[in-house]
Amino acid sequence: MSKIPFANARKPSLRIWHILLLGVFVIVAMARFYGPGLASFILWLSTPIVAKCANDTSNSPGLPMVINTWGGVFTAATDAAYLSLLKPETSALDAVELGCSTCEANQCDGSVGYGGSPDENCETTLDAMIMDGTTMKSGAVAALRRVKEAVSVARAVLEHTTHTLLAGDFATDFAVANGFTAQNLTTEASAASCTQWKAGGCQPNYRINVSPDPASSCGPYEPVELTSDSQVLARDKPEGHDTISMISLHSSGTMAAGTSTNGAGRKVPGRVGDGPITGSGSYVDGDVGGCGATGDGDIMMRFLPCYQAVENLRRGMNPQEAAEDAVRRMLRKYPEVQSGIVVVDTKGNHGGAGSGWTFTYAYRGGSMNETVVVSVPPIADSVADLRR
């Protein structure tokens, strides 16, 4: 695995710029010796070439290709999905399922799969979705209990129902009926971390406007009556978590996308984040491109950032512009939001944007021998700039 800074991933080659500078020098020299008429004519002819070179954002490694949120341990998923696409029998949908399943089995960063991010009751539940870029059909599970293979259950929803999303115990019943095994998702490590959290007064947590004071108590809680003058109180939340969101491009050009996560640690039982929401956790339209997201799902799902990013591609933006626009839309309303967006078009050109942290994404395509990780610094625009 190699790592490159984001800025360097998109610069046109120095050779192109050298040619452009030489061209400008020639035009200036001709203006001096032959008059402005001929030079102006040459400049007029060269304008489209200069514009094309300056706006060239092509950085596709070629197809097949896999791209996903985060580097580090998440690159095992990138490699697994990419290598599977080298086999002729593997579809884009197969690759996404395999990649996300790899992270589920590996418990990537503790934020994907079993034994991570326990809720207030010390239980791990899973969210996942998978989407076919040709049919635009998606399948998802939310707050899935006692079944490890969340993204595979999501695919069963896609392929064996006309629904999009199943949740909770009913999603578990569906999974078992489709051949998946019910088992305890708690591990010794997750149980110990939850015990430690409770011993510390259940801090931090996601409760607001309740009694007793959630800033110092574990509850049980009762809601505080709110009036028209009441203000929704802000609270420090538990630290952020990571999600794997992946897009695959088959050598034939077909595309798929998917997401898997165990959600926010210490969440209120039953909470569902953006991961299984089509258009938020991930989204793909095989005619345009795809997107994967990670971050503060409770905020991000209000904006459907991946749907927005893909629509930005449809409107003519390149992947980098599409990602930045989607993030800025969130920042205008929530300047502190932690977010990460990775976008890819149908040719494999890619870009990313984030806020509140340094986001990374990983990709591998064409004849690449290893996965590359791109580092994306947070958008640092002022609030005034964001509102323009």
Coordinates of all heavy atoms in Angstrom, one line a residue, residues 226-325:
L226 N -40.8 20.5 27.0 CA -40.3 21.7 26.3 C -41.4 22.6 26.0 O -42.5 22.2 25.6 CB -39.6 21.2 25.0 CG -38.4 20.3 25.2 CD1 -37.9 19.9 23.8 CD2 -37.3 20.9 26.0
T227 N -41.1 23.9 26.0 CA -42.1 24.9 25.7 C -41.6 25.6 24.4 O -40.5 25.3 23.9 CB -42.2 26.0 26.8 OG1 -41.0 26.7 26.9 CG2 -42.5 25.3 28.1
S228 N -42.4 26.6 24.0 CA -42.0 27.3 22.7 C -40.8 28.1 22.9 O -40.1 28.5 22.0 CB -43.2 28.3 22.3 OG -43.5 29.2 23.4
D229 N -40.4 28.4 24.2 CA -39.2 29.2 24.5 C -38.0 28.3 24.8 O -36.9 28.8 24.9 CB -39.4 30.1 25.7 CG -40.5 31.1 25.4 OD1 -40.6 31.6 24.3 OD2 -41.2 31.5 26.4
S230 N -38.2 27.0 24.8 CA -37.1 26.1 25.1 C -36.1 26.0 24.0 O -36.5 26.1 22.8 CB -37.7 24.7 25.4 OG -38.5 24.7 26.5
Q231 N -34.9 25.8 24.3 CA -33.8 25.6 23.3 C -33.3 24.2 23.4 O -33.1 23.7 24.5 CB -32.7 26.6 23.6 CG -33.1 28.1 23.4 CD -31.9 29.0 23.6 OE1 -30.8 28.6 24.1 NE2 -32.1 30.3 23.2
V232 N -33.0 23.6 22.3 CA -32.4 22.3 22.2 C -31.0 22.4 22.7 O -30.2 23.1 22.1 CB -32.5 21.7 20.8 CG1 -31.8 20.3 20.8 CG2 -34.0 21.6 20.4
L233 N -30.7 21.7 23.7 CA -29.3 21.8 24.3 C -28.3 21.1 23.5 O -28.6 20.0 23.0 CB -29.3 21.3 25.7 CG -30.3 22.0 26.7 CD1 -30.3 21.3 28.1 CD2 -30.0 23.5 26.8
A234 N -27.1 21.6 23.4 CA -26.0 21.0 22.7 C -25.2 20.2 23.7 O -25.1 20.6 24.8 CB -25.1 22.0 22.0
R235 N -24.7 19.1 23.3 CA -23.9 18.2 24.1 C -22.7 17.8 23.4 O -22.7 17.6 22.2 CB -24.7 16.9 24.5 CG -25.8 17.1 25.5 CD -25.4 17.2 26.9 NE -24.3 16.3 27.3 CZ -24.5 15.0 27.6 NH1 -25.7 14.5 27.6 NH2 -23.5 14.3 28.0
D236 N -21.6 17.6 24.2 CA -20.4 16.9 23.6 C -20.8 15.4 23.4 O -21.4 14.8 24.2 CB -19.2 17.0 24.6 CG -18.7 18.4 24.7 OD1 -18.9 19.1 23.8 OD2 -18.1 18.7 25.8
K237 N -20.5 15.0 22.1 CA -20.9 13.6 21.8 C -19.7 12.7 21.9 O -18.5 13.1 21.8 CB -21.5 13.6 20.4 CG -22.7 14.4 20.2 CD -23.3 14.3 18.8 CE -22.4 15.0 17.8 NZ -23.0 15.0 16.4
P238 N -19.9 11.4 21.9 CA -18.8 10.4 21.9 C -18.0 10.7 20.6 O -18.5 11.2 19.6 CB -19.5 9.1 21.9 CG -20.8 9.3 22.5 CD -21.2 10.7 22.1
E239 N -16.7 10.3 20.7 CA -15.8 10.6 19.5 C -16.3 9.8 18.3 O -17.1 8.8 18.4 CB -14.4 10.1 19.8 CG -14.3 8.6 20.1 CD -12.9 8.3 20.6 OE1 -12.3 9.0 21.4 OE2 -12.3 7.3 20.0
G240 N -16.0 10.4 17.1 CA -16.5 9.9 15.9 C -16.1 8.4 15.6 O -15.2 7.9 16.2
H241 N -16.7 7.9 14.5 CA -16.3 6.5 14.1 C -16.2 6.5 12.6 O -16.5 7.4 11.9 CB -17.5 5.6 14.6 CG -18.8 5.9 13.9 ND1 -19.6 6.9 14.2 CD2 -19.4 5.2 12.9 CE1 -20.7 6.9 13.5 NE2 -20.6 5.9 12.6
D242 N -15.7 5.4 12.1 CA -15.4 5.2 10.7 C -16.4 4.2 10.1 O -17.0 3.4 10.8 CB -14.0 4.6 10.5 CG -12.9 5.5 11.1 OD1 -13.2 6.7 11.3 OD2 -11.8 5.0 11.4
T243 N -16.6 4.3 8.9 CA -17.5 3.5 8.1 C -16.9 3.1 6.8 O -16.1 3.9 6.2 CB -18.8 4.3 7.8 OG1 -19.5 4.6 9.0 CG2 -19.8 3.5 6.9
I244 N -17.1 1.9 6.4 CA -16.6 1.5 5.0 C -17.8 1.8 4.0 O -18.8 1.2 4.2 CB -16.0 0.1 4.9 CG1 -15.5 0.0 3.4 CG2 -17.1 -0.9 5.3 CD1 -14.6 -1.2 3.3
S245 N -17.5 2.6 3.1 CA -18.4 2.9 1.9 C -17.6 2.7 0.7 O -16.5 3.3 0.5 CB -19.0 4.3 2.0 OG -19.9 4.4 3.1
M246 N -18.1 1.8 -0.2 CA -17.2 1.3 -1.3 C -18.0 1.5 -2.7 O -19.2 1.2 -2.7 CB -16.8 -0.1 -1.1 CG -16.1 -0.8 -2.3 SD -15.6 -2.5 -1.9 CE -14.2 -2.2 -0.8
I247 N -17.3 1.8 -3.7 CA -17.9 1.8 -5.1 C -17.0 0.9 -5.9 O -15.7 1.0 -5.9 CB -17.9 3.2 -5.7 CG1 -18.6 4.2 -4.7 CG2 -18.6 3.2 -7.0 CD1 -17.7 5.1 -4.0
S248 N -17.6 0.1 -6.7 CA -16.8 -0.8 -7.6 C -17.2 -0.5 -9.1 O -18.4 -0.2 -9.4 CB -17.0 -2.3 -7.3 OG -18.4 -2.6 -7.7
L249 N -16.2 -0.5 -10.0 CA -16.4 -0.4 -11.4 C -15.9 -1.6 -12.1 O -14.7 -1.9 -12.1 CB -15.7 0.9 -11.9 CG -16.2 2.2 -11.4 CD1 -15.5 2.6 -10.1 CD2 -15.8 3.3 -12.4
H250 N -16.8 -2.4 -12.7 CA -16.4 -3.6 -13.4 C -15.8 -3.2 -14.8 O -16.0 -2.0 -15.3 CB -17.7 -4.4 -13.7 CG -17.4 -5.8 -14.2 ND1 -17.3 -6.0 -15.6 CD2 -17.3 -6.9 -13.6 CE1 -17.1 -7.3 -15.8 NE2 -17.1 -7.9 -14.6
S251 N -15.0 -4.0 -15.3 CA -14.3 -3.7 -16.6 C -15.3 -3.5 -17.7 O -15.0 -2.8 -18.7 CB -13.4 -4.9 -17.0 OG -14.1 -6.1 -17.1
S252 N -16.5 -4.0 -17.6 CA -17.6 -3.7 -18.6 C -18.2 -2.3 -18.4 O -19.0 -1.9 -19.3 CB -18.6 -4.8 -18.4 OG -19.3 -4.6 -17.2
G253 N -17.9 -1.7 -17.3 CA -18.5 -0.4 -17.0 C -19.6 -0.4 -16.0 O -20.0 0.7 -15.6
T254 N -20.1 -1.5 -15.7 CA -21.2 -1.6 -14.6 C -20.6 -1.2 -13.3 O -19.4 -1.4 -13.0 CB -21.8 -3.0 -14.6 OG1 -20.8 -3.9 -14.2 CG2 -22.5 -3.4 -15.9
M255 N -21.5 -0.6 -12.4 CA -21.1 -0.1 -11.1 C -22.0 -0.6 -10.0 O -23.2 -0.9 -10.2 CB -21.1 1.4 -11.2 CG -20.2 2.1 -12.2 SD -20.2 3.9 -12.1 CE -19.4 4.2 -10.6
A256 N -21.4 -0.6 -8.8 CA -22.2 -0.9 -7.6 C -21.6 -0.1 -6.4 O -20.5 0.3 -6.5 CB -22.2 -2.4 -7.3
A257 N -22.4 0.0 -5.4 CA -21.9 0.7 -4.2 C -22.5 0.0 -2.9 O -23.5 -0.7 -3.0 CB -22.3 2.2 -4.2
G258 N -21.8 0.2 -1.8 CA -22.3 -0.3 -0.6 C -21.6 0.3 0.6 O -20.6 0.9 0.5
T259 N -22.3 0.1 1.8 CA -21.8 0.6 3.1 C -22.0 -0.4 4.2 O -23.0 -1.1 4.1 CB -22.6 1.9 3.4 OG1 -22.3 2.9 2.4 CG2 -22.1 2.5 4.8
S260 N -21.1 -0.5 5.1 CA -21.3 -1.3 6.3 C -20.7 -0.6 7.5 O -19.6 -0.1 7.4 CB -20.7 -2.7 6.1 OG -21.0 -3.5 7.2
T261 N -21.4 -0.7 8.6 CA -20.9 0.0 9.9 C -21.6 -0.6 11.1 O -22.7 -1.2 11.0 CB -21.2 1.5 9.8 OG1 -20.7 2.1 11.0 CG2 -22.6 1.8 9.6
N262 N -21.0 -0.5 12.3 CA -21.7 -0.8 13.5 C -22.2 0.4 14.2 O -22.6 0.4 15.3 CB -20.9 -1.7 14.4 CG -19.5 -1.1 14.7 OD1 -19.3 0.1 14.7 ND2 -18.5 -2.0 14.8
G263 N -22.1 1.6 13.5 CA -22.8 2.8 14.0 C -22.0 3.5 15.0 O -20.8 3.3 15.2
A264 N -22.7 4.4 15.7 CA -22.1 5.3 16.8 C -22.0 4.5 18.1 O -23.0 4.0 18.6 CB -22.9 6.5 16.9
G265 N -20.8 4.6 18.7 CA -20.7 4.0 20.0 C -21.4 4.7 21.1 O -21.5 5.9 21.0
R266 N -22.0 4.0 22.0 CA -22.9 4.5 23.1 C -24.2 5.1 22.6 O -24.8 5.9 23.3 CB -22.1 5.5 23.9 CG -20.6 5.3 24.1 CD -20.3 3.9 24.7 NE -18.9 3.8 24.8 CZ -18.3 2.6 25.0 NH1 -19.0 1.5 25.0 NH2 -17.0 2.5 25.1
K267 N -24.6 4.7 21.4 CA -25.8 5.2 20.9 C -27.0 4.8 21.7 O -27.0 3.8 22.4 CB -26.0 4.8 19.4 CG -26.0 3.3 19.2 CD -26.1 2.9 17.7 CE -25.9 1.4 17.5 NZ -24.5 1.0 17.6
V268 N -28.1 5.5 21.6 CA -29.4 5.1 22.1 C -29.8 3.9 21.4 O -29.8 3.9 20.2 CB -30.4 6.3 22.0 CG1 -31.8 5.8 22.5 CG2 -30.0 7.5 22.7
P269 N -30.2 2.8 22.1 CA -30.6 1.6 21.4 C -31.7 1.8 20.4 O -32.7 2.6 20.6 CB -31.2 0.7 22.5 CG -30.4 1.2 23.7 CD -30.2 2.7 23.6
G270 N -31.5 1.3 19.2 CA -32.4 1.5 18.1 C -32.0 2.6 17.1 O -32.6 2.7 16.0
R271 N -31.0 3.3 17.5 CA -30.5 4.4 16.6 C -30.0 3.8 15.3 O -29.3 2.8 15.2 CB -29.4 5.2 17.3 CG -28.8 6.3 16.4 CD -27.5 5.9 15.7 NE -26.9 7.0 15.0 CZ -25.8 6.9 14.3 NH1 -25.3 5.7 14.0 NH2 -25.3 8.0 13.7
V272 N -30.4 4.5 14.2 CA -29.9 4.1 12.8 C -29.2 5.4 12.3 O -29.7 6.5 12.3 CB -31.1 3.7 11.9 CG1 -30.6 3.5 10.5 CG2 -31.7 2.5 12.5
G273 N -28.0 5.2 11.7 CA -27.3 6.3 11.1 C -27.5 6.4 9.7 O -28.5 5.9 9.1
D274 N -26.6 7.0 9.0 CA -26.7 7.3 7.5 C -26.3 6.1 6.7 O -26.6 6.0 5.5 CB -25.9 8.5 7.1 CG -24.4 8.3 7.3 OD1 -24.0 7.6 8.2 OD2 -23.6 8.8 6.5
G275 N -25.6 5.1 7.3 CA -25.0 4.0 6.5 C -26.0 3.3 5.7 O -25.7 3.0 4.5
P276 N -27.2 2.9 6.2 CA -28.1 2.1 5.4 C -29.1 2.9 4.5 O -30.0 2.4 3.9 CB -28.9 1.3 6.4 CG -28.9 2.2 7.6 CD -27.6 2.9 7.6
I277 N -28.9 4.2 4.6 CA -29.8 5.1 3.9 C -29.3 5.4 2.5 O -28.2 6.0 2.3 CB -30.0 6.5 4.6 CG1 -30.4 6.2 6.1 CG2 -31.0 7.4 3.9 CD1 -31.7 5.4 6.3
T278 N -30.1 4.9 1.5 CA -29.7 5.1 0.1 C -29.6 6.6 -0.2 O -30.5 7.4 0.0 CB -30.7 4.5 -0.9 OG1 -30.9 3.1 -0.5 CG2 -30.3 4.6 -2.3
G279 N -28.4 7.0 -0.8 CA -28.2 8.4 -1.1 C -27.4 9.1 0.0 O -26.9 10.2 -0.2
S280 N -27.3 8.5 1.2 CA -26.5 9.1 2.3 C -25.2 8.3 2.5 O -24.1 8.8 2.2 CB -27.3 9.2 3.6 OG -26.7 10.0 4.5
G281 N -25.3 7.1 3.0 CA -24.1 6.3 3.2 C -23.4 6.0 1.9 O -22.1 6.1 1.8
S282 N -24.1 5.7 0.8 CA -23.5 5.6 -0.5 C -24.6 5.7 -1.5 O -25.8 5.6 -1.2 CB -22.7 4.2 -0.7 OG -23.6 3.1 -0.3
Y283 N -24.2 5.8 -2.8 CA -25.1 6.0 -3.9 C -24.4 5.7 -5.2 O -23.2 6.0 -5.3 CB -25.7 7.4 -3.9 CG -26.9 7.5 -4.8 CD1 -28.2 7.0 -4.5 CD2 -26.8 8.3 -6.0 CE1 -29.3 7.2 -5.3 CE2 -27.9 8.4 -6.8 CZ -29.1 7.9 -6.5 OH -30.2 8.1 -7.3
V284 N -25.1 5.2 -6.2 CA -24.5 4.9 -7.5 C -25.5 5.0 -8.6 O -26.6 4.5 -8.4 CB -23.7 3.6 -7.5 CG1 -24.6 2.4 -7.2 CG2 -22.9 3.4 -8.8
D285 N -25.2 5.6 -9.7 CA -25.9 5.6 -10.9 C -24.9 5.2 -12.0 O -24.0 6.0 -12.3 CB -26.6 6.9 -11.2 CG -27.4 7.0 -12.4 OD1 -27.2 6.1 -13.3 OD2 -28.3 7.8 -12.5
G286 N -25.1 4.0 -12.6 CA -24.1 3.6 -13.5 C -24.0 4.4 -14.8 O -23.0 4.3 -15.5
D287 N -24.9 5.3 -15.0 CA -24.8 6.3 -16.1 C -23.9 7.5 -15.8 O -23.5 8.3 -16.7 CB -26.1 6.7 -16.6 CG -27.0 5.6 -17.1 OD1 -26.4 4.7 -17.7 OD2 -28.2 5.7 -17.0
V288 N -23.7 7.7 -14.5 CA -23.0 8.9 -14.0 C -21.8 8.7 -13.1 O -20.7 9.2 -13.4 CB -24.0 9.8 -13.3 CG1 -23.4 11.1 -12.9 CG2 -25.3 10.0 -14.1
G289 N -22.0 7.9 -12.1 CA -20.9 7.7 -11.1 C -21.4 7.2 -9.8 O -22.6 6.9 -9.6
G290 N -20.5 7.2 -8.8 CA -20.9 6.8 -7.5 C -20.2 7.5 -6.4 O -19.3 8.3 -6.6
C291 N -20.7 7.3 -5.1 CA -20.2 8.1 -4.0 C -20.3 7.2 -2.7 O -21.2 6.4 -2.6 CB -21.0 9.3 -3.8 SG -20.8 10.2 -2.2
G292 N -19.3 7.4 -1.9 CA -19.3 6.8 -0.5 C -19.0 7.8 0.5 O -18.3 8.8 0.3
A293 N -19.7 7.7 1.7 CA -19.6 8.7 2.7 C -19.3 8.1 4.1 O -19.5 6.9 4.3 CB -20.9 9.5 2.8
T294 N -18.7 8.9 5.0 CA -18.4 8.5 6.3 C -18.5 9.8 7.2 O -18.3 10.9 6.7 CB -17.1 7.8 6.5 OG1 -16.8 7.4 7.8 CG2 -15.9 8.8 6.1
G295 N -18.7 9.6 8.5 CA -18.7 10.8 9.4 C -19.9 10.8 10.3 O -20.4 9.7 10.7
D296 N -20.3 11.9 10.7 CA -21.4 12.1 11.7 C -22.8 11.8 10.9 O -23.4 12.7 10.4 CB -21.4 13.5 12.2 CG -22.4 13.7 13.4 OD1 -23.4 12.9 13.5 OD2 -22.2 14.6 14.2
G297 N -23.2 10.6 11.0 CA -24.4 10.2 10.2 C -25.6 10.8 10.6 O -26.5 11.0 9.7
D298 N -25.8 11.2 11.9 CA -27.0 11.9 12.3 C -27.2 13.2 11.6 O -28.3 13.6 11.3 CB -27.1 12.1 13.8 CG -27.2 10.8 14.5 OD1 -28.2 10.1 14.4 OD2 -26.3 10.4 15.3
I299 N -26.1 13.9 11.3 CA -26.2 15.1 10.5 C -26.2 14.9 9.0 O -27.0 15.4 8.3 CB -25.0 16.1 10.9 CG1 -25.2 16.6 12.3 CG2 -24.9 17.2 9.9 CD1 -24.1 17.4 12.8
M300 N -25.3 14.0 8.6 CA -25.1 13.8 7.1 C -26.4 13.3 6.5 O -26.7 13.6 5.3 CB -23.9 12.8 6.9 CG -22.6 13.4 7.4 SD -21.2 12.3 7.1 CE -21.0 12.4 5.4
M301 N -27.2 12.4 7.1 CA -28.3 11.9 6.5 C -29.4 12.9 6.2 O -30.3 12.7 5.4 CB -28.9 10.7 7.3 CG -29.5 11.2 8.7 SD -29.7 9.8 9.8 CE -30.9 8.7 8.9
R302 N -29.3 14.1 6.8 CA -30.2 15.2 6.6 C -30.0 15.8 5.2 O -30.8 16.6 4.7 CB -30.1 16.2 7.7 CG -30.4 15.6 9.1 CD -30.0 16.6 10.2 NE -30.0 15.9 11.5 CZ -29.5 16.4 12.6 NH1 -29.0 17.6 12.6 NH2 -29.6 15.7 13.7
F303 N -28.8 15.5 4.6 CA -28.4 16.2 3.4 C -28.3 15.3 2.2 O -28.1 15.7 1.1 CB -27.1 16.9 3.6 CG -27.1 18.1 4.6 CD1 -27.0 17.8 6.0 CD2 -27.3 19.4 4.2 CE1 -27.1 18.9 6.9 CE2 -27.4 20.4 5.1 CZ -27.3 20.2 6.4
L304 N -28.4 13.9 2.5 CA -28.2 13.0 1.4 C -27.0 13.3 0.5 O -27.1 13.5 -0.7 CB -29.4 12.8 0.5 CG -30.7 12.3 1.2 CD1 -31.8 12.3 0.2 CD2 -30.5 10.9 1.8
P305 N -25.8 13.4 1.2 CA -24.6 14.0 0.5 C -24.2 13.1 -0.7 O -23.7 13.7 -1.7 CB -23.5 14.0 1.5 CG -24.0 13.0 2.5 CD -25.5 13.0 2.5
C306 N -24.4 11.8 -0.7 CA -23.9 11.0 -1.8 C -24.9 11.2 -3.0 O -24.4 11.2 -4.2 CB -23.8 9.5 -1.4 SG -22.1 9.2 -0.8
Y307 N -26.2 11.3 -2.8 CA -27.1 11.6 -3.9 C -26.7 12.9 -4.5 O -26.7 13.1 -5.7 CB -28.5 11.6 -3.3 CG -29.5 12.1 -4.4 CD1 -30.0 11.2 -5.4 CD2 -30.0 13.4 -4.4 CE1 -30.9 11.6 -6.3 CE2 -30.9 13.8 -5.3 CZ -31.3 12.9 -6.3 OH -32.2 13.4 -7.3
Q308 N -26.5 13.9 -3.6 CA -26.1 15.2 -4.1 C -24.8 15.2 -4.9 O -24.8 15.8 -6.0 CB -25.9 16.2 -2.9 CG -25.6 17.6 -3.3 CD -26.7 18.3 -4.1 OE1 -27.8 18.3 -3.6 NE2 -26.4 18.8 -5.3
A309 N -23.9 14.5 -4.5 CA -22.6 14.4 -5.2 C -22.8 13.8 -6.6 O -22.2 14.3 -7.6 CB -21.6 13.6 -4.4
V310 N -23.5 12.7 -6.7 CA -23.8 12.1 -8.0 C -24.6 13.0 -8.9 O -24.3 13.1 -10.1 CB -24.5 10.7 -7.8 CG1 -24.8 10.1 -9.1 CG2 -23.5 9.7 -7.1
E311 N -25.5 13.7 -8.3 CA -26.3 14.7 -9.1 C -25.3 15.8 -9.6 O -25.5 16.3 -10.7 CB -27.4 15.2 -8.4 CG -28.6 14.2 -8.2 CD -29.1 13.7 -9.6 OE1 -29.5 14.5 -10.4 OE2 -28.9 12.5 -9.8
N312 N -24.4 16.2 -8.8 CA -23.4 17.2 -9.2 C -22.6 16.7 -10.4 O -22.3 17.5 -11.3 CB -22.4 17.5 -8.0 CG -23.1 18.3 -6.9 OD1 -24.1 18.9 -7.1 ND2 -22.4 18.3 -5.8
L313 N -22.3 15.4 -10.4 CA -21.6 14.8 -11.6 C -22.5 14.9 -12.8 O -22.0 15.3 -13.9 CB -21.3 13.3 -11.4 CG -20.2 13.0 -10.3 CD1 -20.0 11.5 -10.2 CD2 -18.8 13.6 -10.7
R314 N -23.8 14.7 -12.6 CA -24.7 14.7 -13.7 C -24.8 16.1 -14.3 O -25.0 16.4 -15.5 CB -26.1 14.3 -13.3 CG -27.0 13.9 -14.4 CD -28.5 13.7 -13.9 NE -28.5 12.7 -12.8 CZ -28.5 11.4 -13.0 NH1 -28.5 10.9 -14.2 NH2 -28.5 10.6 -11.9
R315 N -24.6 17.1 -13.4 CA -24.7 18.5 -13.8 C -23.4 19.0 -14.5 O -23.3 20.2 -14.9 CB -25.0 19.4 -12.6 CG -26.4 19.2 -12.0 CD -26.5 19.9 -10.7 NE -26.1 21.3 -10.7 CZ -25.6 21.9 -9.7 NH1 -25.5 21.3 -8.5 NH2 -25.3 23.2 -9.8
G316 N -22.4 18.2 -14.5 CA -21.2 18.6 -15.2 C -19.9 18.8 -14.3 O -18.9 19.1 -14.8
M317 N -20.1 18.7 -13.0 CA -18.9 18.8 -12.1 C -18.0 17.6 -12.3 O -18.5 16.5 -12.6 CB -19.4 19.0 -10.7 CG -20.1 20.2 -10.3 SD -20.4 20.3 -8.5 CE -21.6 21.7 -8.5
N318 N -16.7 17.8 -12.0 CA -15.8 16.7 -11.9 C -15.9 16.1 -10.5 O -16.5 16.7 -9.6 CB -14.4 17.1 -12.3 CG -13.8 18.1 -11.4 OD1 -13.8 17.9 -10.1 ND2 -13.2 19.1 -11.9
P319 N -15.4 14.9 -10.3 CA -15.5 14.3 -9.0 C -15.1 15.1 -7.8 O -15.7 15.2 -6.7 CB -14.7 13.0 -9.1 CG -14.8 12.6 -10.5 CD -14.7 14.0 -11.2
Q320 N -14.0 15.9 -8.0 CA -13.5 16.7 -6.9 C -14.4 17.8 -6.6 O -14.8 18.1 -5.4 CB -12.1 17.3 -7.3 CG -11.5 18.2 -6.2 CD -11.2 17.4 -4.9 OE1 -10.9 16.2 -4.9 NE2 -11.4 18.1 -3.8
E321 N -14.9 18.5 -7.6 CA -15.9 19.5 -7.4 C -17.2 19.0 -6.8 O -17.8 19.7 -5.9 CB -16.2 20.2 -8.7 CG -15.0 21.0 -9.3 CD -15.3 21.4 -10.8 OE1 -16.1 20.7 -11.5 OE2 -14.6 22.3 -11.2
A322 N -17.6 17.9 -7.2 CA -18.9 17.3 -6.7 C -18.8 17.0 -5.3 O -19.7 17.2 -4.5 CB -19.2 16.0 -7.5
A323 N -17.6 16.4 -4.8 CA -17.4 16.1 -3.4 C -17.4 17.4 -2.6 O -18.0 17.4 -1.5 CB -16.1 15.3 -3.2
E324 N -16.6 18.4 -3.0 CA -16.5 19.6 -2.2 C -17.8 20.3 -2.1 O -18.2 20.8 -1.0 CB -15.5 20.5 -2.9 CG -14.0 20.0 -2.8 CD -13.0 20.9 -3.4 OE1 -13.5 21.9 -4.1 OE2 -11.8 20.6 -3.3
D325 N -18.6 20.3 -3.2 CA -19.9 21.0 -3.1 C -20.8 20.3 -2.1 O -21.5 20.9 -1.3 CB -20.6 21.0 -4.5 CG -22.0 21.5 -4.4 OD1 -22.2 22.8 -4.4 OD2 -23.0 20.7 -4.4

